[in-house]
Amino acid sequence: MPGGVSHRARLILLILSAAAVYLLGNDRVPLWDRDEPRNAQAARQMYQSGDWVVPRYLDKVRTAKPVLTYWCQAGVMHAIGDTPFAARLPSTVFMLLTLTVLAVALTRATDRERAFWTVFILATSAIVIAWTAKTSLTDSVQLLWITIAQLCLFRVVRGDATWPVVITMALAIGLAGLTKGPVVLGVLGATVLAWALLSWLGRPARVLAAPAADVAARLHATEAPPARPGHRRSAAKGLVIGALKGIVALMIVAAVVGPWLWLVERRAPGFLGISVANDVIRRSLEPLEQHYGPPGYYALVLWGIFMPWSVLLPLTFALAWRHRDDARVRFALSAVVGPWLLLEAVRTKLPHYLLPAFPPLAYLLADAIVTCLRGQARDLTTRGTVFAVGAWATIVAALGLLPALAAARMTDLPRAPAVAIAVTGVAYATVVFWFFLDRQPRRGLVAMGGGMMVVMALMFSWYLPRARFMQLSMSLADVLKQHGGGGRDTPPGDVQMIGYKEPSLAFYQGGTIREQPQNDFLLARPPGQWPRWLVVREDVWGRMPPDVRARWDEVGQHRGLNLADRGRAWTVHVLRRRPL
C-alpha cells in the first residue's frame, strides 16, 4: 500500500468505498428470493400496526426469525418510508459496523498489514457485496454479533476472560439470539471443539520437534509437584471468579432475550415452540423449501461466494496449517473449520449459512498474503499461482461477457450496461493476471479486490435496475395500482395471487394482496365469493373453463422471472372481475 497514506486513512477510505458500493441500486433493484420481501413486509406491518413484539407476514405470524432485524427495518421505515431501500439499509449499516469492528480489533491484536488485508478481503467478497450488505435479511445483523462474540471467545480460550470481555461476549450472544436464535451457540461451540482438537493435534508435533533433553524432561514430568497451600487458594479463587463470570454472562443473555421471549409467548401462544420445532430442529434434520445439498456442499459453493479470493483458497489453508502454532491463526482456522463441519451436518443448506466463517477466513488469507509479501514464502510468485490466476482470469472474463451475449440474443435486455460490464470484466481479469505474471502480487491483489467492487457497482447501479425481466412483481404492482388494486386502501384479500406466489408482489402492491395456495380457487367458490382482482399465472389461467374466464377482464400482463420459484420465466395476467 502507498507509504504516504496512514493505516487509519486507508481503512477509512476502504470502508467509505464499501459503503458507496453497498448502497448503490438498493432502491431500484427488486427484492430477491423469498425471505427478503417477507422480512420487508413483516417489518412494514410491524411499524404500521404498532405491534413491535409479534412479527407477521400478511395474515400469519412469522416464526421464522426472532425480532431484532424487524425492529431495525421497521425503525428505518418509520423514519424514511416503507421502501426497499429502507428495508435494506440496516444490512448495509451492520456490514459496515462489522468491518469497523474487525479493523479496530485486529489493529490492536495483530499488525496493521494483516488488519487491513482482512478488512479488504471481507469487504470485497462476492457474498458480502451482492448478498449480505444489500438484502433485507438477518445475515448482516447476525454477522456483527457473531464476529464480536468470536473475538471475545479468542480472548477467553487464551486465558484473558476479563470482566469487559465476558460482558461484551454475553451481550453479543444475547443480541445474536434476538437476531437468529441459537445459531450463535452452534458457531461458538463448534469453534471451541475445533480449537481443542487443533491444539491437541499440535502438541505432539511440538514435543517431537523439541530438543531431546526437553522431550525427556516432559516425559518424566508425569506427576505434578505437590501444590502449595497458596496455590490451592489461588486456584479455588480462580474457580469461584470463573463461575461468577459464567453466572453473570447467563444473566446478561437472559436479560437481553428474556423480555421479548416472555412478551411474544403471551401475545402469540406457541410462537417459541413452533419456531424451535420448525426452524431449528426440523431445519437440522431435513431440507426445508428444497434447500438441500450433497456432502461437501459448502466446499463447492465456497469457490463462488468467496470470489474473487477463492483462487487463493489452497494457499490460504496450506499456510494456515503451516502456521497453526500461532494462536491467532489456529483460532481463525478453528472458527472456519468448526462451523463449516457443523453446517455440513445440517440438512437444510444455503450458501449464506457459511457467512459466519468469512471473517476468520479473511484473516487466514490476510496472514498468508502478508507472509508472502514479506518474503517469508514464495507462494504468490510461483508458476502454479500464476497459472491458477490465469485460469481465474479466464473464468472472470467469461462471466463478464455473459450479460452482453445474452443481450445480443434477447431484445428486452439492457445492452449498454451489459457491454460496459463485459468490457470492465475483461479489463479487470487482464490487469490482475498481468500483475501476477509480472511478479507484482501486491498490485495484483489490490486490483483483484478493487476490480470486484467496480464490477459490482456497475451491476447494481446500471444493469440490474434496467433488467426488466427481473422486475415482474414491480410491473404487476404498477398495473394494480394504476387500476385501483394496490395500496393500503384495498381491502385485504380483495386481490389474490394464483399460481404466481411471489412474496415481493405483496410488498410492492402494498401488503393487502393474499397468496392463494389452491389453483382451483375460483372453481371451488361461487362468483359472489370471488375477489375483485386476480394475479394469475398463464398456464393456470389457460386451464380455467370458458365460463369462468368470461367473467374477468384483463387489465395487463407481463413476462419475467419468478425469483421465488427458482427463477422460472412466466407470463402473468392481472385480471379485474366483471360486475356480478
Side-chain angles (χ1 to χ4, degrees):
M1 308 285 25
V5 182
S6 70
H7 172 68
R8 179 179 297 181
R10 281 185 287 156
L11 285 173
I12 292 174
L13 180 61
L14 170 59
I15 294 175
L16 289 177
S17 300
V21 176
Y22 296 167
L23 290 170
L24 284 174
N26 288 359
D27 56 336
R28 295 180 294 156
V29 176
L31 296 170
W32 301 84
D33 197 60
R34 300 181 180 97
D35 284 338
E36 191 185 12
R38 287 171 181 165
N39 289 350
Q41 177 60 27
R44 170 200 273 165
Q45 291 180 215
M46 180 169 283
Y47 99 82
Q48 287 180 347
S49 67
D51 183 356
W52 293 75
V53 174
V54 183
R56 288 182 170 84
Y57 172 70
L58 301 182
D59 297 324
K60 297 180 180 179
V61 175
R62 181 160 170 75
T63 61
K65 300 291 185 297
V67 76
L68 184 58
T69 303
Y70 302 127
W71 283 346
C72 298
Q73 294 171 342
V76 175
M77 289 181 180
H78 184 69
I80 66 175
D82 55 344
T83 64
F85 183 86
R88 288 164 165 166
L89 185 58
S91 293
T92 302
V93 172
F94 275 86
M95 189 63 236
L96 295 173
L97 288 174
T98 300
L99 298 177
T100 304
V101 166
L102 282 173
V104 174
L106 294 180
T107 298
R108 295 177 178 178
T110 184
D111 58 81
R112 293 181 173 184
E113 276 196 274
R114 284 178 171 82
F116 176 82
W117 282 109
T118 301
V119 177
F120 183 63
I121 292 164
L122 183 62
T124 56
S125 299
I127 194 172
V128 169
I129 300 177
W131 187 266
T132 312
K134 300 181 76 67
T135 58
S136 58
L137 300 174
T138 59
D139 299 294
S140 181
V141 182
Q142 177 191 235
L143 184 62
L144 174 64
W145 310 132
I146 289 183
T147 300
I148 294 174
Q150 289 280 52
L151 290 170
C152 293
L153 180 62
F154 174 68
R155 298 275 297 272
V156 171
V157 299
R158 294 284 292 163
D160 189 23
T162 62
W163 278 108
V165 169
V166 171
I167 292 172
T168 303
M169 184 175 177
L171 287 172
I173 291 174
L175 292 169
L178 275 181
T179 304
K180 211 168 182 178
V183 173
V184 61
L185 299 179
V187 172
L188 296 178
T191 301
V192 170
L193 291 176
W195 165 267
L197 178 61
L198 288 175
S199 299
W200 179 78
L201 289 175
R203 191 170 303 160
R206 289 196 295 274
V207 170
L208 294 175
D214 187 44
V215 172
R218 294 189 190 188
L219 293 176
H220 285 88
T222 55
E223 294 185 5
R228 289 177 292 180
H231 287 174
R232 286 198 296 267
R233 286 194 297 270
S234 177
K237 182 180 178 181
L239 288 175
V240 171
I241 293 177
L244 180 60
K245 289 177 178 178
I247 293 172
V248 170
L250 290 175
M251 292 174 63
I252 291 173
V253 173
V256 173
V257 302
W260 176 74
L261 293 177
W262 181 76
L263 286 172
V264 76
E265 193 62 24
R266 279 178 58 90
R267 298 190 186 182
F271 184 101
L272 298 180
I274 295 173
S275 180
V276 172
N278 188 70
D279 296 293
V280 178
I281 299 176
R282 189 182 170 201
R283 187 176 296 272
S284 300
L285 300 178
E286 61 181 272
L288 297 184
E289 295 183 332
Q290 300 177 342
H291 296 317
Y292 170 77
Y297 170 85
Y298 291 105
L300 295 175
V301 301
L302 183 62
W303 294 91
I305 62 179
F306 197 51
M307 284 285 287
W309 305 103
S310 48
V311 66
L312 300 176
L313 282 173
L315 169 65
T316 300
F317 287 109
L319 290 184
W321 184 253
R322 194 184 307 172
H323 299 161
R324 65 189 183 279
D325 282 344
D326 184 331
R328 293 165 297 189
V329 173
R330 186 163 71 253
F331 184 83
L333 190 59
S334 304
V336 173
V337 174
W340 187 334
L341 296 178
L342 174 66
L343 290 171
E344 289 287 4
V346 174
R347 296 296 304 278
T348 302
K349 290 180 169 63
L350 283 169
H352 60 274
Y353 285 1
L354 194 58
L355 191 63
F358 269 55
L361 181 59
Y363 177 78
L364 292 178
L365 178 52
D367 179 75
I369 288 173
V370 173
T371 299
C372 294
L373 293 181
R374 289 179 177 176
Q376 298 168 354
R378 297 181 56 253
D379 301 71
L380 287 177
T381 55
T382 61
R383 291 183 179 179
T385 299
V386 174
F387 178 81
V389 172
W392 171 92
T394 303
I395 294 172
V396 169
L399 292 175
L401 290 172
L402 286 180
L405 295 175
R409 300 186 61 180
M410 301 174 65
T411 58
D412 59 341
L413 295 180
R415 293 191 176 184
V419 172
I421 289 174
V423 172
T424 305
V426 172
Y428 165 43
T430 303
V431 169
V432 172
F433 178 63
W434 170 256
F435 279 135
F436 275 90
L437 187 64
D438 198 39
R439 295 181 177 273
Q440 300 184 61
R442 183 186 297 271
R443 292 185 177 182
L445 293 167
V446 172
M448 187 177 284
M452 185 69 173
M453 296 183 80
V454 172
V455 171
M456 286 291 188
L458 284 174
M459 180 71 72
F460 281 89
S461 66
W462 196 8
Y463 181 80
L464 292 178
R466 294 171 179 243
R468 298 297 297 176
F469 65 93
M470 296 184 60
Q471 301 174 7
L472 182 55
S473 287
M474 297 171 67
S475 301
L476 296 172
D478 289 341
V479 173
L480 286 168
K481 291 177 180 179
Q482 181 181 354
H483 292 85
R488 296 180 60 186
D489 295 335
T490 305
D494 208 27
V495 188
Q496 294 279 347
M497 282 185 275
I498 300 181
Y500 180 73
K501 301 179 182 67
E502 174 59 71
S504 60
L505 180 55
F507 183 84
Y508 289 117
Q509 182 267 346
T512 60
I513 196 172
R514 295 295 181 264
E515 300 175 1
Q516 183 50 244
Q518 299 175 338
N519 289 345
D520 60 350
F521 169 72
L522 298 178
L523 302 179
R525 288 165 174 76
Q529 297 180 12
W530 289 352
R532 187 183 175 196
W533 299 92
L534 209 61
V535 179
V536 58
R537 211 170 61 199
E538 182 179 42
D539 60 324
V540 176
W541 185 239
R543 292 194 296 266
M544 291 292 174
D547 60 321
V548 172
R549 294 163 58 94
R551 292 179 177 270
W552 296 86
D553 292 322
E554 182 177 290
V555 296
Q557 66 168 271
H558 287 277
R559 183 172 180 82
L561 300 184
N562 185 354
L563 300 179
D565 187 18
R566 300 183 179 182
R568 296 177 181 177
W570 295 108
T571 297
V572 182
H573 302 272
V574 179
L575 308 173
R576 180 172 54 197
R577 190 193 65 203
R578 293 179 179 177
L580 297 176

